[in-house]
Amino acid sequence: MRRDNVKRRWGWVCVLAATLVACKEDKPTEVPDAGPVETGPQALTEQEPNERPEQALTLTRDSTVTADLSAQPNKVDEDWYRLAPSSPRMVDVTVSGLPGGDITLEVHDRDRNRLAAINSEGEGKPERFPNLYVETERWLRVAPARKGVGGAYTLTVTMRAANDGEEHEPNDRAVDAVGLPLGQTVTAYLGHAGDEDWYRVELPEPAVPSPDTAPPDASVTPEGGEGAAPAPGTEGVAPPGAAAPGEAPAQGTPSPAPAAENGTATGTAEEGVVPPSPTGTFGGGEPPPAGSGAVAMTPDSGTVIPPEPPSVALKIELSGVEGVRPEVSVLSAAEAPLFSLRGKEGEALSLRNIGVRATDRTVFVVVKGGWTGTGKEARRTFNSSAPYTLTVTQEEAGANAELEPNDELHKATSLTAGSYREGFISPKGDVDHFVLRTTEPVLAKVELSGVERLDLVLSMVEPPQGDGKQETVLLRANDGALKEPERLNNVACNGSCWFRVEGASRKVDGKWVKDFENAEKPYRISVTTVPDNGGEEREPNNTVERAQELTPGKAVRGTVFPVKDTDYYRLDLSDRPVRTPLKATLLGILKVDVGLYLHRVQPDGKLSLVQTADRAKGDQPESIRYSAEPGVYIFEVRDAKNREANFQDSYQLTVEEGE
């Protein structure tokens, strides 16, 4: 009974619900009006008159405009268009060419100030501006390049939302430069011949050492022993191969070790790392330990060399674009040039260690197309259809980085004894110069690590001695091949000494070229010094004019390095009234068959060989006995066969008077 009542009640509920639905008004569901649906670019026809901005045809979205320029003999016809998207847009503008005529495209602001002018392609060809940023409104002016030219053309405008990491044209001035954070990549176009892209790079504030981590105020000892102050610019920098604070030194590796492929001082000589020397002589071994009376170029008296102003090293990577010969410049906030380089057509650039002052908070990076052709055919390269990418980062090497540009002697990067610099041979043909400045006579050992894909050359260079003179290469080391290190021993330096790092020449298709390059793996150039006490040879002494003075009875040590090294020593007996009996002894070294040659200097300056000792008996000594008439004599030491060298071991030459 109760179940029947429940069924009856549910039946009435269903009837009432059906009645309400039937009585409800039959109204369609309301959908908000989304406006007209854009199915493609709107097709428009220019409306004359449109010779002034206030008469311009307004374009708010993708549009294709059919138009015509009348050929007038006395003036240039011009058509104006107003770009007014509803929100900020990146606009691509293309205007077709005029049959038999040259067309120009200009961009103006609302006050009729011209922002950009595009006329790159020539007669009958279209012009394009691919990356015009329109935040509110811009005006376009289309006109023939000269009077008396006209014809039909088509203006095509496409609009899209701006993407992160792309340039906003126009950006051809510092005031319009696009902000480019360090480490971020920007995509851009060199869209026409006059296009320049400016980027503003903000540099971080220089790090200020914490009082908790600052080194204690140590006293300076005259011998450079414990507590000696570091050489200027080397505070906090460990010498090459030295263990970092808290680390144990590597067993059996007392010598400075240049960087291997991964930037760490590991590996063997075959991997491009300079091996240690077991000898205690500076000619091939390490400087004496601290406290032994020999210091590594830490000025302890006289004028202290002022530290180099702090710098920041940047890495600039620019992708290649077909048909474009890139030019890259770095400018200070005052738009003063700090660096510039011109690449080859279609070439990507990876520029390393671009030096800027750490005191600068802002620098500008400028990219443009370089010139190609000559005479009337000369033009700036561009490509309006293919973009490039640009990335600027700060180098990890920090204070130890070489600083470009240093391709000229007067722009040389400073070297500090007991420290090192890391640099790159990039782009191809790159040349890096370094300068070591001293306040007292020292002997320097310069080591250059090997790098994958590079055959490096290390040279000592003398600046031009007078107007119109050329620089002189005093020493040159290129004993190694690909990946192998180079060295210079016993380089005498009193004041300033310049060194050059470059790739060697090689023969390709019958031509000698310098095309070595590695923008990923750095080389390391390191310097250690000891005071010049007269007991070691002073390089360069490879010419008679640079022969080192000998003192009878005092031994001098030197190395036969690099291959074909020749060392000259001068003995002046001009003031002797009678013959002087001489005994010269040369202690040999491993690997090299040292030879000893005695010459007399003739009145005309030429040498006359008077005696030889070159039995080629390995490391056995050579000796000469000679009764010398009054005059000037030259002792020559070299490998008897001019084919071997030994950077590690030192020969010893002693000249004594008497039987």
Side-chain angles (χ1 to χ4, degrees):
M1 182 76 177
R2 182 176 298 174
R3 183 177 300 172
D4 293 340
N5 289 337
V6 172
K7 289 182 178 179
R8 192 177 295 114
R9 287 174 184 172
W10 276 109
W12 282 109
V13 170
C14 293
V15 171
L16 287 172
T19 303
L20 289 173
V21 172
C23 293
K24 190 175 180 181
E25 243 178 31
D26 188 14
K27 293 183 178 179
T29 303
E30 293 185 3
V31 179
D33 186 6
V37 178
E38 297 183 5
T39 58
Q42 59 181 346
L44 301 173
T45 303
E46 82 163 310
Q47 297 176 0
E48 293 283 359
N50 62 349
E51 288 83 14
R52 297 192 302 274
E54 55 269 22
Q55 299 171 332
L57 175 64
T58 298
L59 307 177
T60 60
R61 64 184 184 90
D62 294 359
S63 304
T64 301
V65 183
T66 302
D68 186 85
L69 290 170
S70 60
Q72 303 180 34
N74 299 324
K75 70 174 185 177
V76 171
D77 186 18
E78 55 188 84
D79 294 342
W80 285 81
Y81 301 90
R82 175 174 173 261
L83 302 178
S86 58
S87 60
R89 286 290 184 266
M90 194 66 72
V91 181
D92 188 326
V93 181
T94 302
V95 58
S96 64
L98 292 175
D102 189 9
I103 199 167
T104 63
L105 172 65
E106 295 179 355
V107 179
H108 294 247
D109 65 11
R110 66 193 312 166
D111 299 313
R112 206 169 178 173
N113 297 305
R114 190 172 70 180
L115 304 178
I118 300 93
N119 182 20
S120 306
E121 295 288 1
E123 291 190 1
K125 295 182 179 180
E127 300 289 348
R128 184 186 179 197
F129 199 11
N131 256 28
L132 174 61
Y133 183 69
V134 181
E135 188 172 10
T136 54
E137 56 185 358
R138 287 282 188 263
W139 271 261
L140 302 178
R141 176 182 178 269
V142 179
R146 64 179 185 272
K147 300 175 184 178
V149 176
Y153 69 89
T154 300
L155 176 69
T156 303
V157 174
T158 59
M159 301 183 183
R160 60 172 175 81
N163 298 319
D164 292 337
E166 66 180 341
E167 69 164 333
H168 292 172
E169 286 280 6
N171 62 338
D172 57 351
R173 300 182 302 162
V175 70
D176 297 319
V178 176
L180 180 58
L182 287 172
Q184 293 191 15
T185 299
V186 64
T187 302
Y189 289 85
L190 289 173
H192 57 95
D195 195 8
E196 288 189 12
D197 295 339
W198 284 61
Y199 302 93
R200 185 181 62 258
V201 179
E202 304 292 341
L203 301 178
E205 293 285 344
V208 179
S210 168
D212 298 333
T213 60
D217 184 14
S219 60
V220 180
T221 61
E223 290 77 25
E226 187 173 353
T234 62
E235 292 81 2
V237 179
E247 294 181 354
Q251 296 295 323
T253 56
S255 66
E261 295 174 20
N262 59 0
T264 59
T266 59
T268 64
E270 288 185 355
E271 295 169 336
V273 177
V274 179
S277 169
T279 67
T281 66
F282 185 75
E286 297 308 305
S292 65
V295 247
M297 235 322 282
T298 304
D300 52 42
S301 62
T303 304
V304 177
I305 300 175
E308 292 289 326
S311 298
V312 174
L314 301 178
K315 176 183 179 181
I316 300 177
E317 294 183 287
L318 181 71
S319 65
V321 178
E322 183 180 357
V324 174
R325 185 182 187 187
E327 287 187 11
V328 179
S329 302
V330 180
L331 311 177
S332 70
E335 300 182 35
L338 303 175
F339 172 87
S340 63
L341 183 135
R342 178 182 299 171
K344 297 180 180 179
E345 189 170 310
E347 179 183 39
L349 297 177
S350 182
L351 309 178
R352 305 302 302 265
N353 290 338
I354 307 304
V356 299
R357 298 166 299 189
T359 53
D360 286 339
R361 299 275 58 80
T362 301
V363 295
F364 295 103
V365 177
V366 182
V367 180
K368 60 183 178 181
W371 289 92
T372 185
T374 57
K376 294 182 178 180
E377 301 299 323
R379 63 181 182 88
R380 280 198 176 274
T381 54
F382 65 95
N383 190 326
S384 61
S385 59
Y388 67 84
T389 58
L390 172 70
T391 309
V392 180
T393 55
Q394 191 167 341
E395 293 281 14
E396 297 179 0
N400 294 321
E402 63 148 336
L403 300 173
E404 295 279 2
N406 60 353
D407 53 339
E408 298 177 78
L409 288 182
H410 70 277
K411 298 178 181 178
T413 300
S414 64
L415 285 172
T416 303
S419 188
Y420 65 92
R421 291 280 190 174
E422 286 189 347
F424 295 87
I425 297 298
S426 178
K428 294 178 180 179
D430 184 27
V431 176
D432 297 333
H433 289 97
F434 299 88
V435 59
L436 172 66
R437 293 188 172 91
T438 70
T439 57
E440 58 185 355
V442 300
L443 295 176
K445 178 170 66 175
V446 186
E447 297 181 309
L448 179 65
S449 68
V451 181
E452 287 279 359
R453 299 171 48 212
L454 297 183
D455 179 10
L456 294 176
V457 180
L458 174 62
S459 306
M460 181 185 184
V461 184
E462 183 181 64
Q465 303 298 303
D467 295 339
K469 301 292 185 179
Q470 298 292 323
E471 61 192 28
T472 304
V473 176
L474 302 178
L475 295 170
R476 187 175 186 272
N478 185 219
D479 283 1
L482 286 174
K483 198 179 174 181
E484 295 182 329
E486 301 294 345
R487 307 167 183 82
L488 292 176
N489 284 341
N490 289 63
V491 178
C493 189
N494 185 13
S496 297
C497 293
W498 283 266
F499 302 95
R500 175 185 295 161
V501 177
E502 60 187 324
S505 296
R506 61 175 176 173
K507 206 168 189 178
V508 178
D509 297 330
K511 296 182 179 179
W512 287 99
V513 297
K514 287 189 175 183
D515 62 349
F516 286 104
E517 177 185 26
N518 191 331
E520 302 303 323
K521 302 294 183 181
Y523 64 79
R524 177 176 290 192
I525 181 172
S526 59
V527 178
T528 53
T529 61
V530 294
D532 183 3
N533 58 17
E536 304 279 345
E537 69 164 325
R538 300 185 184 102
E539 291 281 6
N541 61 346
N542 50 0
T543 64
V544 175
E545 293 74 21
R546 296 182 179 274
Q548 183 173 336
E549 294 290 340
L550 278 177
T551 301
K554 185 176 181 179
V556 62
R557 293 179 297 180
T559 57
V560 178
F561 187 84
V563 172
K564 297 184 179 180
D565 180 32
T566 301
D567 298 335
Y568 290 102
Y569 299 91
R570 184 175 185 271
L571 181 63
D572 191 350
L573 301 177
S574 301
D575 58 350
R576 303 300 173 90
V578 296
R579 289 176 176 266
T580 303
L582 298 177
K583 178 184 178 182
T585 304
L586 178 66
L587 301 182
I589 55 178
L590 296 173
K591 188 182 178 183
V592 179
D593 295 326
V594 291
L596 180 61
Y597 307 88
L598 176 60
H599 306 267
R600 183 175 182 181
V601 180
Q602 299 299 319
D604 59 0
K606 295 182 179 180
L607 297 184
S608 173
L609 181 65
V610 295
Q611 199 162 347
T612 298
D614 57 353
R615 297 173 299 162
K617 297 295 183 179
D619 57 347
Q620 295 185 19
E622 301 285 353
S623 63
I624 286 178
R625 292 180 180 271
Y626 184 72
S627 179
E629 296 179 352
V632 176
Y633 292 85
I634 298 293
F635 286 91
E636 175 188 358
V637 178
R638 61 176 172 84
D639 172 34
K641 299 177 182 178
N642 270 334
R643 64 185 184 188
E644 296 291 351
N646 185 337
F647 70 89
Q648 195 172 39
D649 301 312
S650 298
Y651 64 77
Q652 178 173 294
L653 174 64
T654 307
V655 177
E656 300 171 297
E657 296 183 13
E659 294 297 333

